[in-house]
Amino acid sequence: MMLTRRLCLALPIMAMGVEFHVAPQGSDIAPGTHDQPLATLVTAIAKAGPFLGRESEVINLAPGVHRLTQPVVLGAPESGTAAAPFVISGAPRGFRSYPSFRH
C-alpha cells in the first residue's frame, strides 16, 4: 500500500500534545496511558481522531508482538500537519510492559 500523505514513523520522541500507549498485554477499554495501555494500534488511532490536526500526537508501541485483527488504515486525517504531527513510534526508552494488566 502506498501512502501519499506524510506519516512519521519515527524513533521515540517526547510528546508535546496527546500521547497514547499500546502494549500487547493492554486492553482496548483502557485509557491508553503508560500504566493502562491500549491493546491495539487500531484503537489508539481511533482514540486519536478527535485531536488530529489540532495537537501533536504520539502513539507509543511497547516492545512485543502486536497482532493485527483488522487492517490499520491511515488516510489524510492521520497525516498530521507541521504544527500538529501524528507519530507512531516504538516506546520510549524505559517503557515497562505490564503482562498481567487486563481491564
Side-chain angles (χ1 to χ4, degrees):
M1 178 166 104
M2 186 168 96
L3 294 177
T4 57
R5 304 270 194 231
R6 291 174 291 140
L7 171 68
C8 297
L9 296 174
L11 295 173
I13 63 170
M14 295 299 292
M16 299 293 281
V18 180
E19 184 173 28
F20 293 100
H21 292 269
V22 179
Q25 303 82 8
S27 168
D28 279 342
I29 60 172
T33 62
H34 177 272
D35 293 331
Q36 296 181 348
L38 296 164
T40 64
L41 178 58
V42 170
T43 300
I45 292 169
K47 284 186 177 266
F51 306 100
L52 291 171
R54 296 185 331 188
E55 297 184 49
S56 61
E57 297 183 72
V58 176
I59 296 175
N60 289 308
L61 299 173
V65 177
H66 293 265
R67 301 197 190 284
L68 298 177
T69 59
Q70 59 186 350
V72 174
V73 179
L74 301 172
E78 292 81 24
S79 297
T81 65
F86 177 72
V87 178
I88 299 172
S89 174
R93 186 173 302 226
F95 182 90
R96 295 172 299 146
S97 60
Y98 297 89
S100 62
F101 176 76
R102 281 285 176 195
H103 194 344

